[in-house]
């Protein structure tokens, strides 16, 4: 019993309990059932739009935009973060402008992006990339600053410098920080993807949720939200699996340092 | 006697300035090192012996004077010499296995084929007796083993000169003896020239063909002592020889005076030294 209470099944059981509460609250009319369908009905709707292919027809364009934007943002974030961390001049040049741009909430510049890029994929990918960029940038920069100088001097004794030093020593040294930034950005990318699709789109999961709400297809609306929960959870698990694989050395290393 | 020594340190000075104050660490060090010799540098703490070694390694510029290896002035890490860091735990790449760490210097300094790198890597891993640990990560090894990885990595580049900064200072006593024997063996087998910085006088005398004592900063060479003890040396009997004890007496006496410590017959001269300073 004690083992059960400490395990992750406790959390899973709590989720099941909440779903049962949802079901009962709707069945007994504790909440206005017009906008609060039973969770069983939501899952049935989710099943229906899945088998009809409607859900995936909306999900693929969303995921494509999200990943396109995410990887562009990550690539620029790592590149510029490494440069800012390595060269004082580039840091002095770019640090103030990042500090000015970074606090602006991403949705605030959707209208501007629409003016310049229209309402198609370009705008959404740009938005996602722009928002994904900053967490990776800041963490890459911190990662470079935290590289042990002894590692750099060791490389110097072997005649390694310049881009080779950046690629062989600085990048792997900073990779735990870069991964932290990438994990934050992944969540940000999902958020901005949904927002950009709700503002202007003719497909995508964000569009689907909003359209369902406007068409009083409440069960489908909830089904869309549940889909996002599943997608977000899955993305995070996949990311952690990749991180555990790539940074296996880091976990062993930090564990050793603590002992 | 040849006119030009293998490695020469000529009036090397090093001054640091911070907050408008200038501290002179090295006040003009002169030293010639013959090929194949084992030279240890000892000195009072903070005298700048590590700084001197880093200048020889081309990791730090001197404020004045110059270092030459075979008549070539050292301005950057010279191909003939490899520097082994004191902080081996921080000097090994934690994301690389033992094998990849040892191969690292090699891959960057020499144009070898993949097979060539592999063969050389295994040769030197074997030389420091780490066979079977190729796939381990450095952080999975003990301190002494990690330092052996660092030594193998340095030697795999086949340098003529090995520069070691207190390489045995952070391991336990027995591991330390093992590492000393390893370095002595490699020095003899590979015909290396070794310059070792240490704070351990006995280690310096036991290992070296020559011990150089630096004065307190601004450091200059205060004693340059050839060590005439037979090879191969033995951790027990060599340290019992009268001549060994004589060297020990001279070096420690000089160091204690420099540090202002009064012991035995050095006690009489200590107050005078303080009065002079």
């Amino acid at each position: 019993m004690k083992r059960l209470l400490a395990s992750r099944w406790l959390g899973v059981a709590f989720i099941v309990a909440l779903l049962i509460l949802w079901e009962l609250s709707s069945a007994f009319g504790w909440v206005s059932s017009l906008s609060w369908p039973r969770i069983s009905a939501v899952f049935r709707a989710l099943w229906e739009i899945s088998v009809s292919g409607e859900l995936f027809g909306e999900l693929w364009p969303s995921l494509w935009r999200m990943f396109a934007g995410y990887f562009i943002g990550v690539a620029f974030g790592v590149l510029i973060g490494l440069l800012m961390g390595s060269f004082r001049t580039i840091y002095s040049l770019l640090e103030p402008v990042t500090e000015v741009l970074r606090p602006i909430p991403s949705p605030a510049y959707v209208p501007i992006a629409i003016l310049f890029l229209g309402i198609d994929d370009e705008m959404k990918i740009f938005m996602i990339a722009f928002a994904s960029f900053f967490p990776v940038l800041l963490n890459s920069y911190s990662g470079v600053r935290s590289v042990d100088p002894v590692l750099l001097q060791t490389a110097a004794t072997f005649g390694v410098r310049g881009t080779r030093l950046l690629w062989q020593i600085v990048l792997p040294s900073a990779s735990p920080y870069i991964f932290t930034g990438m994990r934050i950005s992944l969540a940000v990318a999902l958020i901005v993807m949904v927002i950009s699709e709700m503002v202007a789109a003719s497909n995508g999961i964000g569009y689907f949720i909003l359209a369902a709400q406007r068409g009083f297809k409440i069960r489908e609306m909830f089904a869309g939200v549940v889909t996002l929960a599943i997608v977000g959870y899955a993305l995070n698990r996949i990311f952690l699996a990749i991180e555990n694989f790539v940074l296996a050395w880091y976990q062993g290393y930090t564990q050793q340092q603590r002992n | 006697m040849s006119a030009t020594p293998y490695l020469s340190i000529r009036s090397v000075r090093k001054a640091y300035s911070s907050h408008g104050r200038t501290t002179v660490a090295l006040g003009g060090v002169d030293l010639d090192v013959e090929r194949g010799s084992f030279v240890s540098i000892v000195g009072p703490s903070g005298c700048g012996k590590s700084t001197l070694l880093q200048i020889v390694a081309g990791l730090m510029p001197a404020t004045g004077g110059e270092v030459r290896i075979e008549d070539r002035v050292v301005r950057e890490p010279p191909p003939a010499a490899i520097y082994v860091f004191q902080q081996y735990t921080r000097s090994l790449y934690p994301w690389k296995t033992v094998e990849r760490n040892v191969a690292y210097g090699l891959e960057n300094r020499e144009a070898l084929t993949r097979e060539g790198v592999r063969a050389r890597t295994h040769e030197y891993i074997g030389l420091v007796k780490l066979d079977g640990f190729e796939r381990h990560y450095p952080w999975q090894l003990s301190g002494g083993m990690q330092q052996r990885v660092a030594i193998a990595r340095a030697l795999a580049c086949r340098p003529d000169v090995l520069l070691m900064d207190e390489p045995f200072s952070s391991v336990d006593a027995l591991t330390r003896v093992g590492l000393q024997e390893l370095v002595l063996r490699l020095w003899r087998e590979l015909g290396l020239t070794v310059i070792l910085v240490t704070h351990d006088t006995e280690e310096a005398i036991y290992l070296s063909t020559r011990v150089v004592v630096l004065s307190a900063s601004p450091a200059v060479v205060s004693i340059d002592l050839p060590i005439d003890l037979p090879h191969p040396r033995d951790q027990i009997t060599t340290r019992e020889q009268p001549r060994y004890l004589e060297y020990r007496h001279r070096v420690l006496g000089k160091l204690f005076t420099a540090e202002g410590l009064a012991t035995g017959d050095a006690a009489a001269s200590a107050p005078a030294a303080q009065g002079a300073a």
Side-chain angles (χ1 to χ4, degrees), chain A residues 80-159:
Chain A
I80 298 176
L82 288 180
L83 292 175
M84 278 175 77
S86 309
F87 303 102
R88 199 73 214 166
T89 327
I90 295 181
Y91 176 79
S92 305
L93 178 73
L94 296 181
E95 196 268 347
V97 71
T98 49
E99 283 310 304
V100 170
L101 290 179
R102 193 169 60 90
I104 304 174
S106 315
Y109 42 80
V110 172
I112 308 171
I114 290 175
L115 284 182
F116 285 91
L117 296 168
I119 58 164
D120 293 330
D121 280 357
E122 290 89 339
M123 179 275 285
K124 298 181 190 85
I125 292 171
F126 170 80
M127 288 293 308
I128 295 163
F130 198 76
S132 307
F133 169 74
F134 289 105
V136 177
L137 174 81
L138 296 178
N139 281 282
S140 303
Y141 165 76
S142 309
V144 176
R145 300 310 299 171
S146 71
V147 175
D148 192 327
V150 175
L151 290 183
L152 300 177
Q153 282 189 309
T154 304
T157 63
F158 296 116

Side-chain angles (χ1 to χ4, degrees), chain B residues 67-177:
Chain B
V67 176
R68 282 169 185 267
I69 295 178
E70 282 190 317
D71 250 356
R72 251 189 287 175
V73 178
V74 172
R75 289 198 183 86
E76 55 188 40
I82 294 278
Y83 181 90
V84 178
F85 285 85
Q86 177 185 5
Q87 310 102 316
Y88 49 81
T89 48
R90 291 169 54 197
S91 158
L92 296 172
Y93 298 108
W95 61 88
K96 287 178 187 283
T97 58
V98 167
E99 192 175 22
R100 302 314 306 156
N101 264 290
V102 173
Y104 183 71
L106 204 55
E107 289 167 338
N108 280 292
R109 287 179 36 132
E110 293 179 41
L112 287 173
T113 61
R114 190 181 282 252
E115 266 316 300
V117 169
R118 183 196 294 272
R120 187 89 74 83
T121 304
H122 282 267
E123 181 188 342
Y124 283 87
I125 287 176
L127 213 55
V128 299
K129 304 224 156 63
L130 281 174
D131 320 70
F133 291 97
E134 291 88 348
R135 299 286 157 82
H136 284 62
Y137 285 93
W139 37 267
Q140 295 174 312
L141 306 179
S142 70
M145 289 164 91
Q146 289 183 39
Q147 188 59 301
R148 270 144 68 196
V149 176
I151 291 170
R153 180 173 65 185
L155 292 179
C157 299
R158 298 201 170 142
D160 298 325
V161 188
L162 195 59
L163 305 167
M164 307 183 93
D165 185 8
E166 309 227 11
F168 318 126
S169 59
S170 38
V171 291
D172 64 81
L174 278 176
T175 306
R176 184 174 200 159
V177 166

Side-chain angles (χ1 to χ4, degrees), chain A residues 23-63:
Chain A
E23 183 73 17
L24 296 178
S25 67
S26 176
F28 294 108
W30 299 341
V31 184
S32 156
S33 57
L34 204 60
S35 49
W36 189 243
R38 294 184 186 198
I39 187 64
S40 54
V42 170
F43 278 121
R44 210 176 313 124
L46 184 61
W47 172 253
E48 279 159 17
I49 58 174
S50 298
V51 290
S52 74
E54 191 186 356
L55 181 67
F56 297 106
E58 305 293 351
L59 204 52
W60 292 135
S62 293
L63 288 176

Side-chain angles (χ1 to χ4, degrees), chain B residues 176-251:
Chain B
R176 184 174 200 159
V177 166
L179 286 172
Q180 288 171 350
E181 290 310 304
L182 175 75
V183 169
L184 261 185
R185 175 168 68 80
L186 294 173
W187 167 69
R188 283 164 61 90
E189 281 175 12
L190 306 176
L192 292 167
T193 305
V194 177
I195 304 181
L196 173 88
V197 161
T198 176
H199 61 260
D200 183 340
T201 307
E202 309 217 6
E203 170 175 287
I205 297 166
Y206 174 72
L207 292 172
S208 309
T209 57
R210 202 167 139 209
V211 172
V212 173
V213 183
L214 295 185
S215 66
S217 67
V220 292
V221 173
S222 95
I223 309 181
D224 188 343
L225 192 66
I227 304 295
D228 186 16
L229 291 167
H231 287 278
R233 293 184 182 167
D234 181 279
Q235 287 282 357
I236 295 170
T237 56
T238 300
R239 292 175 191 260
E240 291 166 343
Q241 290 185 17
R243 204 178 281 157
Y244 175 89
L245 296 172
E246 225 170 87
Y247 292 138
R248 181 176 176 272
H249 188 109
R250 280 191 62 186
V251 175

Side-chain angles (χ1 to χ4, degrees), chain A residues 16-27:
Chain A
V16 172
L18 285 175
L19 292 176
I20 292 170
L21 184 67
W22 181 337
E23 183 73 17
L24 296 178
S25 67
S26 176

